[in-house]
Amino acid sequence: MTYTRYVALGDSQTEGLGDGDDLRGHRGWADRLAEHLARCEPGLLYANLAVRGRLAAEVRDEQLAPALALRPDLATVMAGMNDLIRPGFDAAKVVGVLEEMFAALSGAGARVVTVTFPDLGKIAPAARPLLPRVLAYNAHVRAAAARHGVTVVDTFPYAFFTDARMWSTDRLHASPLGHARFAAAVAHTLGLPDSDDTWTLPLPPLPRPTVWRAAVTEARWLAGFAAPWIHRRLRGLSSGDGRTAKRPTLSPVVPVPD
């Protein structure tokens, strides 16, 4: 199938954090997917409504109506991680919000794609207690997607999705490699030309770090990223405060050489 109007909804992962910077711009998996689509259909138009820091309900409230107004034939919805790492997370409630977006977008004729989350505790040991939340979220996503014919890119079964090389140093956002792999996963799941299953291949093994090196790495992450994140939450601040979508309207895509 050929897609000509692609709209991406979501938070920082879909905005592309970890793949570029605020000065040069963020590319990210959704931009990479749009570039693949544009190589298949040069007339492709693409909008990215994602904004970092948004909760699932904020994605729905701020992005769903604009997305529907753009009349996409392909839409991706990735949200819920910012909810999952907060106190009081309710998987059924959060995925219920996602399901509203699934229903509205698919009901408007779009092919909708969503995602399950990997085991966060294998990315950041401090997140190990969150595994029951991840499992509950993923189960609800699969069920909601099935009710609306939504395509799910299931990352949880693949060990390489928790490889440190797939994540930036903050362990919250994918690295350029992670964004590229996920874009390839979506392209293959959609059955796009020039896509294949090589995204499923494991990464080459790395030497096991010493206990000392692992401890130093954890200490640096806690001081450099976890502590500032907690500080923002306590002050009621978000990384997305004052920010708007980087690509709010449909426009042509120029593929970027890798």
Side-chain angles (χ1 to χ4, degrees), residues 20 32 38 43 47 87 96 111 135-136 143 148 151 162 193 197 218 242 250 254-255:
R32 291 171 180 269
R111 172 84 177 270
L135 293 173
H148 299 281
T151 300
T162 60
D197 64 356
E218 288 306 304
L250 290 167
V254 178

Side-chain angles (χ1 to χ4, degrees), residues 11 52-53 88 109 112-113 120 122 141 162 169 178 187 189 222 242 247:
D11 51 31
R52 68 191 72 178
V112 181
V113 180
L120 305 181
K122 293 180 179 178
V141 162
T162 60
T169 52
T189 303
L222 288 168
R247 196 180 177 109

Side-chain angles (χ1 to χ4, degrees), residues 6 10 14 105 170 198 221:
Y6 167 37
T14 301
L105 290 162
D170 67 7
T198 54
W221 176 76

Side-chain angles (χ1 to χ4, degrees), residues 111-236:
R111 172 84 177 270
V112 181
V113 180
T114 194
V115 62
T116 62
F117 294 150
D119 183 353
L120 305 181
K122 293 180 179 178
I123 301 166
R128 284 173 183 158
L130 298 179
L131 179 57
R133 295 184 177 194
V134 172
L135 293 173
Y137 174 92
N138 289 349
H140 281 287
V141 162
R142 294 185 189 104
R147 286 191 287 271
H148 299 281
V150 169
T151 300
V152 179
V153 180
D154 197 355
T155 70
F156 189 86
Y158 295 98
F160 74 85
F161 268 115
T162 60
D163 188 295
R165 289 166 288 185
M166 293 282 289
W167 297 88
S168 61
T169 52
D170 67 7
R171 302 185 189 174
L172 298 172
H173 303 104
S175 65
L177 173 63
H179 280 286
R181 278 272 183 131
F182 186 70
V186 179
H188 182 237
T189 303
L190 288 170
L192 299 182
D194 300 319
S195 67
D196 55 37
D197 64 356
T198 54
W199 66 270
T200 65
L201 298 176
L203 297 175
L206 287 173
R208 189 176 184 86
T210 64
V211 173
W212 170 250
R213 171 55 61 185
V216 169
T217 299
E218 288 306 304
R220 287 176 176 170
W221 176 76
L222 288 168
F225 299 104
W229 184 88
I230 293 169
H231 183 62
R232 286 199 304 272
R233 297 287 78 73
L234 292 174
R235 295 172 62 197

Side-chain angles (χ1 to χ4, degrees), residues 23 41 49-50 64-65 79 93-94 97 125 134 162 183 216 220 231 237 253 255 258:
L23 181 62
E41 173 50 62
L49 307 181
L64 179 58
K93 182 177 179 180
V94 170
V97 170
V134 172
T162 60
V216 169
R220 287 176 176 170
H231 183 62
L237 301 176
V253 176
D258 285 316

